[in-house]
Structures are given as C-alpha cells and as structure tokens.
Amino acid sequence: ETGVTQTPRHLVMGMTNKKSLKCEQHLGHNAMYWYKQSAKKPLELMFVYNFKEQTENNSVPSRFSPECPNSSHLFLHLHTLQPEDSALYLCASSQDPPAGDLYEQYFGPGTRLTVT
Amino acid sequence: EDQVTQSPEALRLQEGESSSLNCSYTVSGLRGLFWYRQDPGKGPEFLFTLYSAGEEKEKERLKATLTKKESFLHITAPKPEDSATYLCAVQVTSGTYKYIFGTGTRLKVLA
C-alpha cells in the first residue's frame, strides 16, 4: 500500500448504529487530519493529530470521536449520527514542519457516508 | 473572518481553449496558498504551493500565480483529462494547522 488509504469506501448506517472509519498513511508523516466534504461546501477541518496528540478540534459534535493510536493510523468513531452528517469524510496526512514553514497535505480517497 | 472564494463555480471548455480559474482570499495573515485537483470519487491531489505575491509555479498545462488578494490557475490548451474540480486552500498565520478551503471550480474539458 502507498499513500493514504481509507476504509470502508462506502458506509450506510442508521441513526442508532455505531461504526468506525479507518485511515492509514504510508508516507512517514507526523500529522493526520479528518475533513468533512459536503456538496457545494468547502472542506471542513474536523480534527488534527500531531504525533498522536490532538491539536485541533473544530467544535465537532461529540457523536464524532477520533482516535489516533500511532502516527500512521487514525480512526473516526461514529455514533447516533444525524442525516445531515451524510458526506464524504476525508483523511489527510502531512509532515510536521518547523515553525514558519508550509506543508502540503496528502489525502485518502475518502469514505462516502450515508446516514438513514 | 478568514474567507476563500473561488470562481467560476463551473467551467466548460473545448479542448485547446485556454482559460483561468480564480481564487480570491480575505485572511488575517497569509502563510501560503495551495492548489489541489480532485477527481470524482477521490481525495484532493496536491498541485502547487505559493508562498508570496509575485510567485509563479508551472506543471504541464497548469500555471499558478499569486497576488496579495488572489491566485489564478491558468490552464493552457486543456485536454479532456484535465477535467476535475480544482480546489484552492490558504494557510493562515493564526494557526499552524488552520487550512481554509474554497468550494472549488468544476472544470469540464470537451473533446
């Protein structure tokens, strides 16, 4: 495997279900991200982990719970979701640059989530 | 409030018909600007990073430029395989990981 992989690619779940999304990066990066992409809306940053520590949580509802056991793996645990949570969930990774430098992010293919 | 706006929302070109996509931004402090390409069913793919006004980057038929208020992605003699959504994102100085995306331009190149 190369780059950033995500499983599953498609997920349909009821509002009372519990499921998890998985992301794995094979790039040796230190930072990992979860984004939500909805139709006609910009990508929304949800969570950021740097060296397994959560550094950003952009006011995401508690029904989304991230987990980062190591710098290569990232999970998003889902429970009691709402239909408006249906979207493409993208995982990304990047190097953790020295202060003042820029970095590009490398994205996985995403998980298309449908909440019924 | 930091904001990134892309135009047009959608663009249809004939093969070989050159054009430009626009990304305008209003941010408290710009650390850098990124262009990504996204194909249907896939995640965004990194194209360019621009650091300062006046900078230009090129890759095949694509050329990105940056001013103090906007960036352009010029597409010269496009081919059908250039069809995709092009996303612009800015990194602001107020947060190491604060990355603000635009809504993208959907480009369709007709053979």
Side-chain angles (χ1 to χ4, degrees):
Chain A
E1 293 279 13
T2 59
V4 181
T5 58
Q6 290 187 244
T7 55
R9 293 295 310 277
H10 301 271
L11 178 63
V12 179
M13 60 185 289
M15 289 190 285
T16 58
N17 290 159
K18 290 185 181 181
K19 296 285 184 183
S20 296
L21 310 185
K22 178 183 176 182
C23 174
E24 184 173 1
Q25 60 97 359
H26 309 268
L27 300 169
H29 291 162
N30 302 318
M32 297 187 76
Y33 312 77
W34 280 117
Y35 283 91
K36 177 183 179 181
Q37 187 174 35
S38 305
K40 302 208 173 184
K41 288 188 177 180
L43 267 72
E44 299 173 47
L45 180 63
M46 300 174 72
F47 302 103
V48 182
Y49 277 82
N50 184 14
F51 287 99
K52 303 187 298 178
E53 299 296 321
Q54 188 179 128
T55 57
E56 294 274 344
N57 176 342
N58 279 357
S59 303
V60 179
S62 60
R63 58 185 182 270
F64 295 91
S65 175
E67 178 189 1
C68 188
N70 55 61
S71 57
S72 298
H73 293 85
L74 186 65
F75 296 88
L76 188 63
H77 303 300
L78 317 170
H79 63 98
T80 59
L81 294 190
Q82 304 299 311
E84 59 264 30
D85 296 323
S86 298
L88 181 67
Y89 288 84
L90 291 162
C91 174
S93 71
S94 73
Q95 292 285 9
D96 181 44
D101 282 359
L102 290 177
Y103 57 91
E104 62 269 15
Q105 298 182 337
Y106 293 83
F107 287 83
T111 294
R112 174 67 63 186
L113 174 66
T114 303
V115 181
T116 60
Chain B
E1 182 184 348
D2 296 329
Q3 194 169 354
V4 175
T5 303
Q6 290 189 246
S7 62
E9 185 176 324
L11 181 63
R12 291 167 69 94
L13 298 173
Q14 290 296 131
E15 185 172 3
E17 179 186 1
S18 301
S19 188
S20 297
L21 313 182
N22 177 264
C23 171
S24 62
Y25 57 90
T26 306
V27 297
S28 51
L30 179 72
R31 183 173 283 180
L33 185 142
F34 303 81
W35 282 98
Y36 288 85
R37 169 191 170 129
Q38 187 173 21
D39 293 296
K42 295 187 177 181
E45 176 188 348
F46 169 72
L47 292 174
F48 303 109
T49 306
L50 300 168
Y51 293 83
S52 57
E55 188 174 3
E56 298 182 352
K57 293 274 181 74
E58 285 190 67
K59 180 179 179 180
E60 296 180 356
R61 295 176 292 282
L62 300 177
K63 178 179 176 181
T65 61
L66 181 65
T67 72
K68 289 186 177 180
K69 292 184 178 180
E70 59 192 347
S71 176
F72 291 94
L73 185 65
H74 307 279
I75 304 177
T76 302
K79 298 182 178 181
E81 54 262 42
D82 295 321
S83 298
T85 296
Y86 290 86
L87 300 172
C88 166
V90 300
Q91 187 182 2
V92 299
T93 55
S94 59
T96 302
Y97 301 100
K98 191 172 181 183
Y99 221 119
I100 303 168
F101 278 83
T103 52
T105 293
R106 293 191 313 277
L107 174 66
K108 177 75 172 177
V109 182
L110 304 172

